[in-house]
Amino acid sequence: MPGLNELTARSRLKNTMRVVSTTGLLLLAGPCFAAVPSVSTLTLDQALQTAFAGNPELAAAQWEIGIAEGDRRQAALIPNPEVSWEAEDTRRDSRTTTVMISQPIELGGKRGARIDVASRAQDAAGIELERKRNALRADVIQAFCAAETAQQRLQLSRQSQALAEQGLRVAQGRIQAGKSSPVEGTRAQVQLSEVRLELSRAERDQANAYQQLAQVMGAPLPTLVSVQPALHGMPAVPPPTRLLERLNETAELRLAKLQIDQREASLGLEKAQRIPDLTVSIGSQYSELERERVNVVGLSMPIPLFNRNQGNVLSAARRADQARDLRNATELRLRTEIQTTLAQWQTANGEVSAFDQTILPAAQSAVDSATRGFEMGKFGFLDVLDAQRTLIGARTQYIQAVAEATDARVRIERIFGDLGAPGVNR
């Protein structure tokens, strides 16, 4: 018959092994866990709102709209007139003075070409801001999910430590009752030491993840804070054909296409620069010697004999060709990234489903069976340890699969923006 200490230890171990399902994870529960103090929770929507309002990089990027507007206004201005004054002969009685107003007149459509270039840059600033917002949204989601993963791993490490401590007490009770070898106590002590090291790493990783989230949000996090896990399950993978059909609507590809238009507009401006400008001058000349005032009219224009802007035209033409190749390279890169990322997302979702439906329930059943067998003396403590490690390892792999699925989704949303927005998946 087992002793009183042994029965008490077995009862405690059985209570420790109980599990409950919370947010898709199997969480160990039992009377040995202390109550978690109430802390403020941060939702993903709150993190996104804070980031859009306070991220300094996004705030700096928003000024590009005003900068481009200023460049657009400047490009539409015509050249200023010039006023000149000349004096022939420094002697007062024989001096001749001339006052002139000269107005440069741009020929060849230079002003319209400048406006076209500035307008393209203004459109590019808007698309670039959209791209940065998509990138910031993806960064926030990635940092938020990394903090959530670190939080779950820390919770898992604490529960693993509670299991190891309880297992050590059970092993010591059996050793004192003469039912087990001291070797089992050594094994239990080694496992507890390993779990404590893992708990220390998990605490450090959670602190780092929270710091990264605060950096992306552009605002410090409270001392006591936890991220709130998503209430819904894993999102379904969008059909690849539908996403590829919408590839031309992505901000990155629209920006690449607009850069071609910018380069072509710059080429048009350089071609317009080949035509020299005309300067019209009107003025008045007064001669002290003859006491007579005459009107003066002048025209001037550079002779494009040597410099016809041919070098700048060639450079602008090659930049336009380069922009076309870069646009094609961008499309190829995006197509490849979308296809590989969707495959990763599909695989990770399959792993999550397998863990939910088969692996985690089987691992929990193994823990329950090993615990009952240990209580009845059919199994050794090593069998209980193996079952615990299998369950903990399965839950760790489950968290990793969720993180991989989230990473894939973030990479897709970095390209397309919010996948939940109307029309993205249709």
Side-chain angles (χ1 to χ4, degrees):
M1 294 293 293
L4 179 60
N5 291 338
E6 183 179 355
L7 290 175
T8 303
R10 290 177 180 177
S11 176
R12 289 177 179 175
L13 179 60
K14 183 177 181 180
N15 290 333
T16 304
M17 295 297 180
R18 292 189 297 109
V19 297
V20 294
S21 176
T22 305
T23 67
L25 293 176
L26 292 177
L27 304 180
L28 297 170
C32 60
F33 298 140
V36 179
S38 60
V39 296
S40 59
T41 58
L42 177 69
T43 65
L44 179 58
D45 290 339
Q46 292 172 343
L48 289 172
Q49 292 175 3
T50 303
F52 287 143
N55 183 270
E57 294 183 2
L58 182 63
Q62 291 174 347
W63 292 110
E64 290 294 335
I65 302 296
I67 294 172
E69 174 63 22
D71 292 339
R72 167 64 176 77
R73 292 183 182 181
Q74 185 65 34
L77 300 178
I78 62 177
N80 290 324
E82 296 181 1
V83 177
S84 63
W85 176 85
E86 293 182 358
E88 298 179 11
D89 195 346
T90 58
R91 292 172 297 180
R92 183 173 183 179
D93 294 338
S94 60
R95 183 171 55 192
T96 301
T97 59
T98 304
V99 178
M100 299 281 292
I101 297 179
S102 301
Q103 175 63 54
I105 300 177
E106 294 181 308
L107 302 179
K110 295 184 182 66
R111 180 170 174 269
R114 283 200 313 271
I115 294 175
D116 193 19
V117 172
S119 298
R120 297 291 185 272
Q122 190 175 5
D123 295 339
I127 299 178
E128 180 65 22
L129 179 60
E130 178 186 347
R131 191 181 69 84
K132 288 184 179 296
R133 286 181 62 88
N134 291 342
L136 176 60
R137 185 179 187 279
D139 289 341
V140 172
I141 295 176
Q142 192 168 30
F144 186 90
C145 292
E148 180 183 346
T149 300
Q151 181 176 285
Q152 292 173 347
R153 285 175 175 166
L154 178 58
Q155 186 179 13
L156 174 61
S157 298
R158 288 171 177 169
Q159 295 165 355
S160 300
Q161 180 179 355
L163 275 177
E165 291 173 349
Q166 188 66 24
L168 179 60
R169 288 193 292 268
V170 172
Q172 291 174 345
R174 287 179 59 84
I175 292 172
Q176 292 174 2
K179 301 296 184 180
S180 298
S181 168
V183 176
E184 292 186 352
T186 303
R187 290 170 177 168
Q189 185 64 52
V190 170
Q191 185 195 29
L192 178 59
S193 300
E194 293 176 351
V195 168
R196 284 174 176 172
L197 291 176
E198 182 62 29
L199 176 60
S200 177
R201 288 192 292 266
E203 290 175 344
R204 179 199 61 197
D205 292 342
Q206 177 178 275
N208 292 338
Y210 282 177
Q211 290 177 358
Q212 291 294 327
L213 178 59
Q215 178 181 353
V216 175
M217 291 171 54
L221 294 176
T223 303
L224 296 178
V225 66
S226 63
V227 297
Q228 179 178 338
L231 300 179
H232 52 78
M234 299 300 299
V237 180
T241 54
R242 294 183 182 178
L243 290 183
L244 292 176
E245 288 175 356
R246 304 182 65 88
L247 185 59
N248 290 330
E249 301 177 11
T250 60
E252 191 166 359
L253 204 56
R254 284 190 289 124
L255 183 61
K257 176 61 174 64
L258 187 58
Q259 287 175 347
I260 297 176
D261 298 337
Q262 283 183 278
R263 299 296 184 268
E264 291 179 346
S266 298
L267 176 59
L269 176 60
E270 296 299 338
K271 289 181 178 180
Q273 296 289 352
R274 296 180 301 182
I275 302 175
D277 295 335
L278 176 65
T279 301
V280 179
S281 302
I282 301 175
S284 175
Q285 187 179 75
Y286 179 77
S287 174
E288 295 286 350
L289 184 62
E290 299 179 359
R291 301 290 181 175
E292 183 180 4
R293 181 177 299 276
V294 295
N295 296 327
V296 179
V297 178
L299 296 175
S300 64
M301 174 182 291
I303 301 175
L305 183 59
F306 305 109
N307 182 5
R308 297 185 299 276
N309 207 37
Q310 56 267 37
N312 290 334
V313 171
L314 178 61
S315 297
R318 296 295 81 81
R319 289 192 180 98
D321 295 336
Q322 182 186 48
R324 294 185 186 92
D325 289 338
L326 289 176
R327 187 267 176 200
N328 295 335
T330 299
E331 181 179 2
L332 179 60
R333 176 178 57 82
L334 291 178
R335 285 184 179 274
T336 303
E337 184 176 356
I338 290 170
Q339 292 172 347
T340 56
T341 303
L342 289 179
Q344 174 190 335
W345 191 355
Q346 188 69 46
T347 301
N349 273 8
E351 292 178 358
V352 171
S353 179
F355 276 108
D356 274 335
Q357 299 176 7
T358 305
I359 299 176
L360 288 177
Q364 178 58 42
S365 177
V367 171
D368 295 338
S369 299
T371 303
R372 288 193 298 267
F374 180 71
E375 291 177 350
M376 293 183 294
K378 295 181 179 181
F379 301 131
F381 185 67
L382 184 59
D383 297 322
V384 177
L385 290 179
D386 289 340
Q388 291 178 15
R389 290 170 178 169
T390 300
L391 176 59
I392 293 172
R395 291 169 55 196
T396 302
Q397 293 176 6
Y398 173 85
I399 294 175
Q400 182 63 32
V402 172
E404 291 179 358
T406 302
D407 179 70
R409 180 191 176 191
V410 166
R411 289 166 59 187
I412 293 297
E413 292 203 351
R414 191 181 298 274
I415 298 173
F416 288 92
D418 186 4
L419 291 179
V424 175
N425 291 322
R426 290 185 297 156

